[in-house]
């Protein structure tokens, strides 16, 4: 069966519409969202509503909780756009889940806040390996996350470490990025396949949408990021760490 893993829609309507069309053609058996359905871009109610109505499960990301709990004053645009009911739903999103597929135990989460800091796939094993164990010391066979917005697939020992990329704010390749698992449900060993998928989308429209919503905080950085795939918010660029 096919399981679509999507994340980091970030208020980007054209990218989310492109994703929706692709999923309508592929018809995966399940769609799981790894969080950050709001923040950054201009159309947060749209991406929130799409995720909540089209995904079988939506996990929470650092932006979802930051906006949902109204942690940062500059985010007032998002609070007003989303309204109280959606903000409360953001607060209640679960942080992680797991799947048993093709005989593998697969851990799924957004990144932060499960991870203390932003982690990229080429960080040291000392940073990454702790996430392959649960609180009881039991092992996962794969860890799949988002957060860094940069698709990656790294073979660790004992399993795969996968970043599914970002639908609406992808780094590196500035396209609509997500992942597909082609697997068999259950604990019986079977082929395990991860596909990293990239779709071109109407980035000119995404820029127009952003310019039409000038109250979005750091809109200049958002536009530069969707045009170039280069992180533009002034924090250390973890792609070079
Ligand atoms: Fe994000």
């Amino acid at each position: 069966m096919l399981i679509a893993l999507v994340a980091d829609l970030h208020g980007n309507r054209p990218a989310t519409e492109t994703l929706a069309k692709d999923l309508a053609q592929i018809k995966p058996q399940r769609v799981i969202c790894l969080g950050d359905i709001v923040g950054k871009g201009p159309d947060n109610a749209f991406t929130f509503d799409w995720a909540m109505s089209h995904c079988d499960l939506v996990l929470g990301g650092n932006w979802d909780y930051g906006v949902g709990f109204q942690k940062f004053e500059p985010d007032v645009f998002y609070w007003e756009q989303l309204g109280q009911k959606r903000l409360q739903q953001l607060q209640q999103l679960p942080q992680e889940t797991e799947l048993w597929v093709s005989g593998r135990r697969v851990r799924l989460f957004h990144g932060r806040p499960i991870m203390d800091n932003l982690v990229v796939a080429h960080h040291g094993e000392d940073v990454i390996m702790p996430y392959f164990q649960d609180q009881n010391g039991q092992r996962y066979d794969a860890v799949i996350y988002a957060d860094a917005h940069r698709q990656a697939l790294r073979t660790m020992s004992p399993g795969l470490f996968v970043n599914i990329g970002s639908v609406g704010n992808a780094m590196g390749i500035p396209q609509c990025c997500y992942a597909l698992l082609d697997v068999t449900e259950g604990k019986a060993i079977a082929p395990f396949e991860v596909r990293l998928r990239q779709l071109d989308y109407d980035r000119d429209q995404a820029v127009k949408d952003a310019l039409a919503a000038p109250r979005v905080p750091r809109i200049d950085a958002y536009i530069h990021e969707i045009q170039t795939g280069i992180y533009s918010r002034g924090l250390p660029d973890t792609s070079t760490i």
Side-chain angles (χ1 to χ4, degrees), residues 8 10 36 63 110 147 149:
D8 295 281
H10 278 305
D36 272 14
W63 271 89
H110 177 72
D147 198 13
H149 295 200

Side-chain angles (χ1 to χ4, degrees), residues 28-192:
Q29 278 70 45
R30 252 192 280 174
V31 181
I32 300 174
C33 179
L34 304 192
D36 272 14
I37 58 178
V38 302
K40 293 199 168 188
D43 287 305
N44 299 277
F46 177 86
T47 54
F48 176 97
D49 292 343
W50 184 87
M52 298 302 272
S53 60
H54 288 82
C55 299
D56 299 289
L57 174 65
V58 179
L59 302 179
N62 51 310
W63 271 89
D64 303 315
Y65 301 126
V67 171
F69 286 103
Q70 298 179 274
K71 283 184 185 170
F72 307 107
E73 195 64 38
D75 289 347
V76 63
F77 170 85
Y78 309 122
W79 307 342
E80 290 177 357
Q81 189 174 63
L82 291 162
Q84 272 306 316
K85 189 178 170 198
R86 292 191 187 92
L87 293 182
Q88 284 170 6
Q89 288 175 279
L90 286 170
Q91 295 172 17
Q92 291 159 11
L93 294 176
Q95 290 194 14
E96 68 173 293
T97 191
E98 70 174 59
L99 302 173
W100 270 101
V101 288
S102 297
R104 276 87 165 170
R105 185 185 184 210
V106 179
R107 185 180 195 187
L108 300 168
F109 54 69
H110 177 72
R112 294 165 294 172
I114 296 271
M115 291 168 151
D116 296 332
N117 297 298
L118 182 61
V119 172
V120 293
H122 52 276
H123 270 134
E125 292 196 359
D126 57 322
V127 173
I128 295 172
M129 290 310 295
Y131 299 106
F132 277 87
Q133 284 203 345
D134 67 18
Q135 290 179 335
N136 301 316
Q138 299 296 305
R139 193 187 91 170
Y140 295 97
D141 301 299
V143 172
I144 303 181
Y145 81 117
D147 198 13
H149 295 200
R150 186 180 294 266
Q151 285 185 327
L153 196 156
R154 180 175 176 186
T155 306
M156 311 285 290
S157 186
L160 285 181
F161 185 61
V162 179
N163 191 297
I164 64 170
S166 165
V167 169
N169 186 227
M171 299 298 147
I173 299 166
Q175 296 188 339
C176 168
C177 298
Y178 74 101
L180 288 166
L181 297 184
D182 192 347
V183 290
T184 302
E185 185 128 43
K187 296 188 177 181
I189 292 291
F192 180 77

